[in-house]
Amino acid sequence: MKFSFKTFLILITYTFSGFLLLQAQETRKDYLSSDFHKGRRDLLREKLPANSVAVFFASPVRNRANDVDFVYHQDPDLFYLTGYNEPHAVLLVFKEEQKDGQGNNYNEIFFVQPRNAQAEMWTGRRLGFGGAQEKIGILSAFNNTDFKAYDIDFEKFDKILFYDFQNDVRDNARDEGDLFSLIQQFKTKVGYGVEANTLGAEPKKNNLDLTSLNTIMSEMRGIKTTEELDLIRKAVFISTVGQVEVMKAMKPGMTETEVQGIHEFVFKKYGSEYEGYPSIVGAGNNGCILHYVENAEIDIKSDKMILMDLGAEYHGYTADVTRTIPIDGKFSKEEKAIYDLVYKAQEAAIQMSKPGTTFGEIGALAKDIINKGLAELGIIPNENARHLYFPHGLSHHIGLDVHDKGPYGAMAENMVITVEPGIYIPEGSKCDPKWWGIAVRIEDDVLITKDGFELLSSFAPRKSDEIEALMKQSSPLEQFTLPALKGNK
Ligand code: GLY
Ligand code: MN
Ligand code: MN
């Protein structure tokens, strides 16, 4: 074979970058193990109904603009079951053993992106079917381009479980194995939602189940294993260190983006790959926007509070922690009244969290305390008055998603949930203007234990006086100065 100089360069670069990536991966030892993922597939098989198959597709690649895509984020179910982090893949998990044409047994098949030196030089190393066999331990792994011809008699199953598709996947017409094609091929194979006269598929046996998978995966993902808890603890701890460092560094005149940057710098310093959701940093009235992500205020005023809701994502698992602090280090009388009321509601709900308690019960308790408190402060006319000052739910699961899958009835051991009451009084509200622009959310991450709870986010203080005390400490960032930004405006 004859190599051009260009091919030579490509191969050298490819080999070298692959080597570096491998090195980087090997320096960290605390990823989920292939045994974890295998255990999850085994548990799924236990939970599947008789004579069934569950089908999971990778998340689509999302385009940011032109030839730049958003950073890829795997479908959390597929990640949970495999640890695979690449697009254009489909996983089938069978309840019972199947036999292929050669008489070999298998109970799972995984179709993944093919290796491709040219593509890997640009966008990173691919596992390929060989890597999926070796690293993930799914022996029946193939290139995604083999899915179309792979002979599976879907009619014989009593149930084919999958999630319904969204109409938002781009077609790379040149790629027979891209997600768009995998979905079309699957629909054709099972006779789902395709016109007989356009794709040649006849509606087959009515064995398509689009609802059960969510229930099964919620039951599984809602209860964390030891390996998951290790990563969640780390993600939560990192996030609370971010809060603590910001409490020390906070100064009037900072920008919201700068505050966001301090949190995220701490996340990265610990090796947290991403944020689990877009960081929310809102000073004063901006804090009243529940998912405020512009973080655009360039001059945070000393007489305001700042609400900071951020979560580090560590090896796939995200924290979700909110602290609200006074910019000048001291809560005003009104700020403290609202802050302490939110704290009271949160503390009561946390103390009640244990196996058997329902999400509904802690939600109602927090709402009740807040309503009574708002009435006592004269912000609402009486405790039964309708209002929008606490417009969101109290609690959700966290894990691979910030709003993670999980059951929302009774709590159970090894669930990890948030407890996050808030009071938001936007400018112009129907109450004394002295309350306007006050927004407080306190959000903590709580592990449900055998007979109670463990507060995972306790490293960042929650009580108003403890926050004031911490804010008096100095920050190493006081020494960190940069040249002024010059321009025409
Ligand atoms: N950070 C989103 C939430 O608190 O649910
Ligand atoms: Mn939350
Ligand atoms: Mn949050």
Side-chain angles (χ1 to χ4, degrees), residues 392-426:
H392 57 75
L394 181 74
S395 182
H396 57 81
H397 295 267
I398 56 167
L400 290 172
D401 278 316
V402 62
H403 293 175
D404 208 32
K405 281 192 176 163
Y408 279 95
M411 295 174 194
E413 186 180 2
N414 292 333
M415 286 183 172
V416 186
I417 65 169
T418 64
V419 179
E420 50 172 312
I423 295 177
Y424 314 87
I425 311 178

PDB file of all heavy atoms in Angstrom, residues 392-426:
ATOM      1  N   HIS A 392     -42.699  26.804  42.497  1.00  0.00           N
ATOM      2  CA  HIS A 392     -42.169  25.533  41.976  1.00  0.00           C
ATOM      3  C   HIS A 392     -42.260  24.429  43.022  1.00  0.00           C
ATOM      4  O   HIS A 392     -42.558  24.674  44.199  1.00  0.00           O
ATOM      5  CB  HIS A 392     -40.715  25.713  41.510  1.00  0.00           C
ATOM      6  CG  HIS A 392     -39.778  26.237  42.564  1.00  0.00           C
ATOM      7  ND1 HIS A 392     -39.308  25.459  43.592  1.00  0.00           N
ATOM      8  CD2 HIS A 392     -39.218  27.467  42.738  1.00  0.00           C
ATOM      9  CE1 HIS A 392     -38.499  26.177  44.344  1.00  0.00           C
ATOM     10  NE2 HIS A 392     -38.433  27.413  43.862  1.00  0.00           N
ATOM     11  N   GLY A 393     -41.963  23.205  42.587  1.00  0.00           N
ATOM     12  CA  GLY A 393     -41.992  22.060  43.486  1.00  0.00           C
ATOM     13  C   GLY A 393     -40.828  22.110  44.465  1.00  0.00           C
ATOM     14  O   GLY A 393     -39.875  22.875  44.295  1.00  0.00           O
ATOM     15  N   LEU A 394     -40.897  21.266  45.487  1.00  0.00           N
ATOM     16  CA  LEU A 394     -39.878  21.292  46.539  1.00  0.00           C
ATOM     17  C   LEU A 394     -38.711  20.373  46.243  1.00  0.00           C
ATOM     18  O   LEU A 394     -37.585  20.633  46.685  1.00  0.00           O
ATOM     19  CB  LEU A 394     -40.510  20.856  47.873  1.00  0.00           C
ATOM     20  CG  LEU A 394     -39.545  20.857  49.060  1.00  0.00           C
ATOM     21  CD1 LEU A 394     -39.251  22.290  49.503  1.00  0.00           C
ATOM     22  CD2 LEU A 394     -40.074  20.043  50.223  1.00  0.00           C
ATOM     23  N   SER A 395     -38.941  19.325  45.464  1.00  0.00           N
ATOM     24  CA  SER A 395     -37.956  18.252  45.474  1.00  0.00           C
ATOM     25  C   SER A 395     -37.957  17.471  44.168  1.00  0.00           C
ATOM     26  O   SER A 395     -39.009  17.301  43.546  1.00  0.00           O
ATOM     27  CB  SER A 395     -38.328  17.313  46.633  1.00  0.00           C
ATOM     28  OG  SER A 395     -37.401  16.280  46.749  1.00  0.00           O
ATOM     29  N   HIS A 396     -36.779  17.022  43.787  1.00  0.00           N
ATOM     30  CA  HIS A 396     -36.674  16.094  42.646  1.00  0.00           C
ATOM     31  C   HIS A 396     -35.460  15.214  42.842  1.00  0.00           C
ATOM     32  O   HIS A 396     -34.566  15.528  43.627  1.00  0.00           O
ATOM     33  CB  HIS A 396     -36.605  16.876  41.320  1.00  0.00           C
ATOM     34  CG  HIS A 396     -35.478  17.862  41.234  1.00  0.00           C
ATOM     35  ND1 HIS A 396     -34.191  17.492  40.917  1.00  0.00           N
ATOM     36  CD2 HIS A 396     -35.427  19.212  41.434  1.00  0.00           C
ATOM     37  CE1 HIS A 396     -33.405  18.575  40.913  1.00  0.00           C
ATOM     38  NE2 HIS A 396     -34.133  19.627  41.237  1.00  0.00           N
ATOM     39  N   HIS A 397     -35.430  14.111  42.119  1.00  0.00           N
ATOM     40  CA  HIS A 397     -34.250  13.243  42.139  1.00  0.00           C
ATOM     41  C   HIS A 397     -33.112  13.930  41.397  1.00  0.00           C
ATOM     42  O   HIS A 397     -33.354  14.672  40.438  1.00  0.00           O
ATOM     43  CB  HIS A 397     -34.545  11.924  41.403  1.00  0.00           C
ATOM     44  CG  HIS A 397     -35.584  11.069  42.061  1.00  0.00           C
ATOM     45  ND1 HIS A 397     -35.263  10.085  42.956  1.00  0.00           N
ATOM     46  CD2 HIS A 397     -36.936  11.049  41.950  1.00  0.00           C
ATOM     47  CE1 HIS A 397     -36.365   9.471  43.362  1.00  0.00           C
ATOM     48  NE2 HIS A 397     -37.408  10.048  42.770  1.00  0.00           N
ATOM     49  N   ILE A 398     -31.866  13.636  41.810  1.00  0.00           N
ATOM     50  CA  ILE A 398     -30.710  14.011  40.986  1.00  0.00           C
ATOM     51  C   ILE A 398     -29.916  12.748  40.664  1.00  0.00           C
ATOM     52  O   ILE A 398     -30.033  11.732  41.357  1.00  0.00           O
ATOM     53  CB  ILE A 398     -29.796  15.064  41.652  1.00  0.00           C
ATOM     54  CG1 ILE A 398     -29.293  14.609  43.025  1.00  0.00           C
ATOM     55  CG2 ILE A 398     -30.465  16.406  41.707  1.00  0.00           C
ATOM     56  CD1 ILE A 398     -28.165  15.474  43.568  1.00  0.00           C
ATOM     57  N   GLY A 399     -29.111  12.844  39.624  1.00  0.00           N
ATOM     58  CA  GLY A 399     -28.313  11.689  39.203  1.00  0.00           C
ATOM     59  C   GLY A 399     -27.662  12.005  37.878  1.00  0.00           C
ATOM     60  O   GLY A 399     -26.979  13.021  37.729  1.00  0.00           O
ATOM     61  N   LEU A 400     -27.909  11.181  36.885  1.00  0.00           N
ATOM     62  CA  LEU A 400     -27.371  11.457  35.550  1.00  0.00           C
ATOM     63  C   LEU A 400     -28.040  12.684  34.941  1.00  0.00           C
ATOM     64  O   LEU A 400     -27.458  13.368  34.110  1.00  0.00           O
ATOM     65  CB  LEU A 400     -27.573  10.243  34.640  1.00  0.00           C
ATOM     66  CG  LEU A 400     -26.706   9.032  34.971  1.00  0.00           C
ATOM     67  CD1 LEU A 400     -27.139   7.831  34.143  1.00  0.00           C
ATOM     68  CD2 LEU A 400     -25.230   9.334  34.736  1.00  0.00           C
ATOM     69  N   ASP A 401     -29.263  12.921  35.323  1.00  0.00           N
ATOM     70  CA  ASP A 401     -29.964  14.156  34.947  1.00  0.00           C
ATOM     71  C   ASP A 401     -30.135  15.000  36.190  1.00  0.00           C
ATOM     72  O   ASP A 401     -30.303  14.457  37.279  1.00  0.00           O
ATOM     73  CB  ASP A 401     -31.381  13.849  34.432  1.00  0.00           C
ATOM     74  CG  ASP A 401     -31.383  13.446  32.983  1.00  0.00           C
ATOM     75  OD1 ASP A 401     -30.703  14.091  32.184  1.00  0.00           O
ATOM     76  OD2 ASP A 401     -32.094  12.476  32.660  1.00  0.00           O
ATOM     77  N   VAL A 402     -30.173  16.319  36.012  1.00  0.00           N
ATOM     78  CA  VAL A 402     -30.440  17.148  37.196  1.00  0.00           C
ATOM     79  C   VAL A 402     -31.855  16.884  37.698  1.00  0.00           C
ATOM     80  O   VAL A 402     -32.076  16.778  38.898  1.00  0.00           O
ATOM     81  CB  VAL A 402     -30.142  18.636  36.946  1.00  0.00           C
ATOM     82  CG1 VAL A 402     -31.018  19.222  35.846  1.00  0.00           C
ATOM     83  CG2 VAL A 402     -30.341  19.413  38.238  1.00  0.00           C
ATOM     84  N   HIS A 403     -32.798  16.785  36.797  1.00  0.00           N
ATOM     85  CA  HIS A 403     -34.139  16.317  37.177  1.00  0.00           C
ATOM     86  C   HIS A 403     -34.168  14.846  36.776  1.00  0.00           C
ATOM     87  O   HIS A 403     -34.580  14.494  35.681  1.00  0.00           O
ATOM     88  CB  HIS A 403     -35.226  17.123  36.462  1.00  0.00           C
ATOM     89  CG  HIS A 403     -35.274  18.560  36.918  1.00  0.00           C
ATOM     90  ND1 HIS A 403     -36.091  19.506  36.351  1.00  0.00           N
ATOM     91  CD2 HIS A 403     -34.604  19.220  37.887  1.00  0.00           C
ATOM     92  CE1 HIS A 403     -35.921  20.683  36.969  1.00  0.00           C
ATOM     93  NE2 HIS A 403     -35.022  20.523  37.895  1.00  0.00           N
ATOM     94  N   ASP A 404     -33.691  14.022  37.676  1.00  0.00           N
ATOM     95  CA  ASP A 404     -33.410  12.641  37.303  1.00  0.00           C
ATOM     96  C   ASP A 404     -34.678  11.807  37.280  1.00  0.00           C
ATOM     97  O   ASP A 404     -35.684  12.148  37.910  1.00  0.00           O
ATOM     98  CB  ASP A 404     -32.427  12.044  38.318  1.00  0.00           C
ATOM     99  CG  ASP A 404     -31.576  10.946  37.708  1.00  0.00           C
ATOM    100  OD1 ASP A 404     -31.269  11.037  36.497  1.00  0.00           O
ATOM    101  OD2 ASP A 404     -31.210  10.004  38.416  1.00  0.00           O
ATOM    102  N   LYS A 405     -34.581  10.691  36.560  1.00  0.00           N
ATOM    103  CA  LYS A 405     -35.683   9.730  36.596  1.00  0.00           C
ATOM    104  C   LYS A 405     -35.758   9.110  37.980  1.00  0.00           C
ATOM    105  O   LYS A 405     -34.725   8.867  38.611  1.00  0.00           O
ATOM    106  CB  LYS A 405     -35.439   8.624  35.578  1.00  0.00           C
ATOM    107  CG  LYS A 405     -35.787   9.048  34.188  1.00  0.00           C
ATOM    108  CD  LYS A 405     -35.825   7.900  33.224  1.00  0.00           C
ATOM    109  CE  LYS A 405     -36.285   8.455  31.883  1.00  0.00           C
ATOM    110  NZ  LYS A 405     -36.004   7.568  30.782  1.00  0.00           N
ATOM    111  N   GLY A 406     -36.960   8.825  38.413  1.00  0.00           N
ATOM    112  CA  GLY A 406     -37.136   8.181  39.709  1.00  0.00           C
ATOM    113  C   GLY A 406     -38.601   8.261  40.082  1.00  0.00           C
ATOM    114  O   GLY A 406     -39.321   9.136  39.594  1.00  0.00           O
ATOM    115  N   PRO A 407     -39.060   7.373  40.950  1.00  0.00           N
ATOM    116  CA  PRO A 407     -40.465   7.405  41.357  1.00  0.00           C
ATOM    117  C   PRO A 407     -40.737   8.587  42.292  1.00  0.00           C
ATOM    118  O   PRO A 407     -39.865   8.958  43.086  1.00  0.00           O
ATOM    119  CB  PRO A 407     -40.648   6.084  42.109  1.00  0.00           C
ATOM    120  CG  PRO A 407     -39.375   5.310  41.955  1.00  0.00           C
ATOM    121  CD  PRO A 407     -38.312   6.263  41.565  1.00  0.00           C
ATOM    122  N   TYR A 408     -41.910   9.148  42.206  1.00  0.00           N
ATOM    123  CA  TYR A 408     -42.252  10.320  43.033  1.00  0.00           C
ATOM    124  C   TYR A 408     -43.358  10.024  44.039  1.00  0.00           C
ATOM    125  O   TYR A 408     -44.149  10.892  44.360  1.00  0.00           O
ATOM    126  CB  TYR A 408     -42.592  11.526  42.132  1.00  0.00           C
ATOM    127  CG  TYR A 408     -41.319  12.204  41.657  1.00  0.00           C
ATOM    128  CD1 TYR A 408     -40.763  11.876  40.433  1.00  0.00           C
ATOM    129  CD2 TYR A 408     -40.654  13.109  42.466  1.00  0.00           C
ATOM    130  CE1 TYR A 408     -39.572  12.457  40.016  1.00  0.00           C
ATOM    131  CE2 TYR A 408     -39.460  13.701  42.052  1.00  0.00           C
ATOM    132  CZ  TYR A 408     -38.929  13.377  40.836  1.00  0.00           C
ATOM    133  OH  TYR A 408     -37.746  13.951  40.441  1.00  0.00           O
ATOM    134  N   GLY A 409     -43.376   8.777  44.547  1.00  0.00           N
ATOM    135  CA  GLY A 409     -44.309   8.448  45.626  1.00  0.00           C
ATOM    136  C   GLY A 409     -43.581   8.524  46.947  1.00  0.00           C
ATOM    137  O   GLY A 409     -43.157   9.598  47.389  1.00  0.00           O
ATOM    138  N   ALA A 410     -43.404   7.371  47.572  1.00  0.00           N
ATOM    139  CA  ALA A 410     -42.699   7.324  48.859  1.00  0.00           C
ATOM    140  C   ALA A 410     -41.187   7.309  48.625  1.00  0.00           C
ATOM    141  O   ALA A 410     -40.697   6.748  47.645  1.00  0.00           O
ATOM    142  CB  ALA A 410     -43.115   6.080  49.619  1.00  0.00           C
ATOM    143  N   MET A 411     -40.462   7.928  49.550  1.00  0.00           N
ATOM    144  CA  MET A 411     -38.995   7.897  49.470  1.00  0.00           C
ATOM    145  C   MET A 411     -38.500   6.514  49.872  1.00  0.00           C
ATOM    146  O   MET A 411     -39.166   5.802  50.621  1.00  0.00           O
ATOM    147  CB  MET A 411     -38.410   8.927  50.428  1.00  0.00           C
ATOM    148  CG  MET A 411     -38.762  10.333  50.042  1.00  0.00           C
ATOM    149  SD  MET A 411     -38.187  11.467  51.317  1.00  0.00           S
ATOM    150  CE  MET A 411     -39.086  12.922  50.812  1.00  0.00           C
ATOM    151  N   ALA A 412     -37.316   6.174  49.365  1.00  0.00           N
ATOM    152  CA  ALA A 412     -36.732   4.871  49.682  1.00  0.00           C
ATOM    153  C   ALA A 412     -35.231   5.028  49.861  1.00  0.00           C
ATOM    154  O   ALA A 412     -34.633   5.993  49.367  1.00  0.00           O
ATOM    155  CB  ALA A 412     -37.034   3.881  48.565  1.00  0.00           C
ATOM    156  N   GLU A 413     -34.649   4.082  50.570  1.00  0.00           N
ATOM    157  CA  GLU A 413     -33.208   4.108  50.840  1.00  0.00           C
ATOM    158  C   GLU A 413     -32.425   4.222  49.529  1.00  0.00           C
ATOM    159  O   GLU A 413     -32.745   3.565  48.543  1.00  0.00           O
ATOM    160  CB  GLU A 413     -32.809   2.809  51.574  1.00  0.00           C
ATOM    161  CG  GLU A 413     -31.361   2.820  52.010  1.00  0.00           C
ATOM    162  CD  GLU A 413     -30.966   1.536  52.740  1.00  0.00           C
ATOM    163  OE1 GLU A 413     -31.802   0.618  52.873  1.00  0.00           O
ATOM    164  OE2 GLU A 413     -29.809   1.458  53.178  1.00  0.00           O
ATOM    165  N   ASN A 414     -31.409   5.076  49.560  1.00  0.00           N
ATOM    166  CA  ASN A 414     -30.498   5.305  48.432  1.00  0.00           C
ATOM    167  C   ASN A 414     -31.098   6.122  47.288  1.00  0.00           C
ATOM    168  O   ASN A 414     -30.554   6.128  46.187  1.00  0.00           O
ATOM    169  CB  ASN A 414     -29.882   4.006  47.906  1.00  0.00           C
ATOM    170  CG  ASN A 414     -28.933   3.415  48.939  1.00  0.00           C
ATOM    171  OD1 ASN A 414     -28.365   4.155  49.749  1.00  0.00           O
ATOM    172  ND2 ASN A 414     -28.783   2.110  48.937  1.00  0.00           N
ATOM    173  N   MET A 415     -32.196   6.796  47.559  1.00  0.00           N
ATOM    174  CA  MET A 415     -32.611   7.857  46.635  1.00  0.00           C
ATOM    175  C   MET A 415     -31.773   9.093  46.970  1.00  0.00           C
ATOM    176  O   MET A 415     -31.400   9.281  48.137  1.00  0.00           O
ATOM    177  CB  MET A 415     -34.088   8.215  46.833  1.00  0.00           C
ATOM    178  CG  MET A 415     -35.038   7.189  46.286  1.00  0.00           C
ATOM    179  SD  MET A 415     -36.749   7.744  46.491  1.00  0.00           S
ATOM    180  CE  MET A 415     -37.599   6.473  45.558  1.00  0.00           C
ATOM    181  N   VAL A 416     -31.478   9.909  45.970  1.00  0.00           N
ATOM    182  CA  VAL A 416     -30.839  11.202  46.249  1.00  0.00           C
ATOM    183  C   VAL A 416     -31.736  12.290  45.675  1.00  0.00           C
ATOM    184  O   VAL A 416     -32.041  12.286  44.470  1.00  0.00           O
ATOM    185  CB  VAL A 416     -29.421  11.318  45.645  1.00  0.00           C
ATOM    186  CG1 VAL A 416     -28.772  12.617  46.096  1.00  0.00           C
ATOM    187  CG2 VAL A 416     -28.554  10.140  46.055  1.00  0.00           C
ATOM    188  N   ILE A 417     -32.161  13.184  46.556  1.00  0.00           N
ATOM    189  CA  ILE A 417     -33.168  14.170  46.162  1.00  0.00           C
ATOM    190  C   ILE A 417     -32.704  15.581  46.556  1.00  0.00           C
ATOM    191  O   ILE A 417     -31.826  15.733  47.404  1.00  0.00           O
ATOM    192  CB  ILE A 417     -34.535  13.870  46.826  1.00  0.00           C
ATOM    193  CG1 ILE A 417     -34.432  14.021  48.353  1.00  0.00           C
ATOM    194  CG2 ILE A 417     -35.013  12.470  46.451  1.00  0.00           C
ATOM    195  CD1 ILE A 417     -35.782  13.998  49.056  1.00  0.00           C
ATOM    196  N   THR A 418     -33.302  16.562  45.929  1.00  0.00           N
ATOM    197  CA  THR A 418     -33.082  17.937  46.374  1.00  0.00           C
ATOM    198  C   THR A 418     -34.198  18.324  47.333  1.00  0.00           C
ATOM    199  O   THR A 418     -35.307  17.771  47.264  1.00  0.00           O
ATOM    200  CB  THR A 418     -33.111  18.947  45.211  1.00  0.00           C
ATOM    201  OG1 THR A 418     -34.423  18.957  44.639  1.00  0.00           O
ATOM    202  CG2 THR A 418     -32.095  18.588  44.140  1.00  0.00           C
ATOM    203  N   VAL A 419     -33.893  19.268  48.197  1.00  0.00           N
ATOM    204  CA  VAL A 419     -34.954  19.932  48.976  1.00  0.00           C
ATOM    205  C   VAL A 419     -34.708  21.417  48.768  1.00  0.00           C
ATOM    206  O   VAL A 419     -33.666  21.934  49.172  1.00  0.00           O
ATOM    207  CB  VAL A 419     -34.898  19.547  50.468  1.00  0.00           C
ATOM    208  CG1 VAL A 419     -36.006  20.273  51.229  1.00  0.00           C
ATOM    209  CG2 VAL A 419     -35.053  18.039  50.647  1.00  0.00           C
ATOM    210  N   GLU A 420     -35.632  22.091  48.081  1.00  0.00           N
ATOM    211  CA  GLU A 420     -35.337  23.425  47.576  1.00  0.00           C
ATOM    212  C   GLU A 420     -36.517  24.396  47.618  1.00  0.00           C
ATOM    213  O   GLU A 420     -37.047  24.785  46.576  1.00  0.00           O
ATOM    214  CB  GLU A 420     -34.814  23.332  46.143  1.00  0.00           C
ATOM    215  CG  GLU A 420     -35.656  22.489  45.193  1.00  0.00           C
ATOM    216  CD  GLU A 420     -35.170  22.608  43.749  1.00  0.00           C
ATOM    217  OE1 GLU A 420     -34.961  23.752  43.293  1.00  0.00           O
ATOM    218  OE2 GLU A 420     -35.002  21.577  43.081  1.00  0.00           O
ATOM    219  N   PRO A 421     -36.897  24.806  48.820  1.00  0.00           N
ATOM    220  CA  PRO A 421     -37.940  25.829  48.863  1.00  0.00           C
ATOM    221  C   PRO A 421     -37.396  27.181  48.391  1.00  0.00           C
ATOM    222  O   PRO A 421     -36.179  27.396  48.391  1.00  0.00           O
ATOM    223  CB  PRO A 421     -38.294  25.887  50.358  1.00  0.00           C
ATOM    224  CG  PRO A 421     -37.058  25.443  51.056  1.00  0.00           C
ATOM    225  CD  PRO A 421     -36.378  24.460  50.141  1.00  0.00           C
ATOM    226  N   GLY A 422     -38.289  28.063  48.017  1.00  0.00           N
ATOM    227  CA  GLY A 422     -37.864  29.398  47.600  1.00  0.00           C
ATOM    228  C   GLY A 422     -38.980  30.398  47.786  1.00  0.00           C
ATOM    229  O   GLY A 422     -40.165  30.029  47.827  1.00  0.00           O
ATOM    230  N   ILE A 423     -38.601  31.654  47.924  1.00  0.00           N
ATOM    231  CA  ILE A 423     -39.584  32.755  47.914  1.00  0.00           C
ATOM    232  C   ILE A 423     -39.028  33.813  46.960  1.00  0.00           C
ATOM    233  O   ILE A 423     -37.860  34.211  47.075  1.00  0.00           O
ATOM    234  CB  ILE A 423     -39.787  33.361  49.319  1.00  0.00           C
ATOM    235  CG1 ILE A 423     -40.408  32.326  50.268  1.00  0.00           C
ATOM    236  CG2 ILE A 423     -40.675  34.617  49.241  1.00  0.00           C
ATOM    237  CD1 ILE A 423     -40.574  32.823  51.712  1.00  0.00           C
ATOM    238  N   TYR A 424     -39.871  34.246  46.035  1.00  0.00           N
ATOM    239  CA  TYR A 424     -39.443  35.186  44.994  1.00  0.00           C
ATOM    240  C   TYR A 424     -40.472  36.310  44.943  1.00  0.00           C
ATOM    241  O   TYR A 424     -41.650  36.056  44.694  1.00  0.00           O
ATOM    242  CB  TYR A 424     -39.372  34.486  43.630  1.00  0.00           C
ATOM    243  CG  TYR A 424     -38.673  33.135  43.718  1.00  0.00           C
ATOM    244  CD1 TYR A 424     -39.401  31.974  44.038  1.00  0.00           C
ATOM    245  CD2 TYR A 424     -37.302  33.022  43.529  1.00  0.00           C
ATOM    246  CE1 TYR A 424     -38.772  30.744  44.158  1.00  0.00           C
ATOM    247  CE2 TYR A 424     -36.662  31.789  43.639  1.00  0.00           C
ATOM    248  CZ  TYR A 424     -37.409  30.656  43.962  1.00  0.00           C
ATOM    249  OH  TYR A 424     -36.786  29.443  44.088  1.00  0.00           O
ATOM    250  N   ILE A 425     -40.023  37.536  45.184  1.00  0.00           N
ATOM    251  CA  ILE A 425     -40.962  38.671  45.222  1.00  0.00           C
ATOM    252  C   ILE A 425     -40.521  39.692  44.165  1.00  0.00           C
ATOM    253  O   ILE A 425     -39.726  40.599  44.449  1.00  0.00           O
ATOM    254  CB  ILE A 425     -40.994  39.314  46.629  1.00  0.00           C
ATOM    255  CG1 ILE A 425     -41.174  38.211  47.705  1.00  0.00           C
ATOM    256  CG2 ILE A 425     -42.116  40.351  46.721  1.00  0.00           C
ATOM    257  CD1 ILE A 425     -41.165  38.706  49.136  1.00  0.00           C
ATOM    258  N   PRO A 426     -40.990  39.528  42.921  1.00  0.00           N
ATOM    259  CA  PRO A 426     -40.523  40.413  41.842  1.00  0.00           C
ATOM    260  C   PRO A 426     -40.943  41.862  42.071  1.00  0.00           C
ATOM    261  O   PRO A 426     -41.945  42.131  42.759  1.00  0.00           O
ATOM    262  CB  PRO A 426     -41.210  39.860  40.598  1.00  0.00           C
ATOM    263  CG  PRO A 426     -41.780  38.544  40.984  1.00  0.00           C
ATOM    264  CD  PRO A 426     -41.977  38.554  42.471  1.00  0.00           C
TER     265      PRO A 426
END
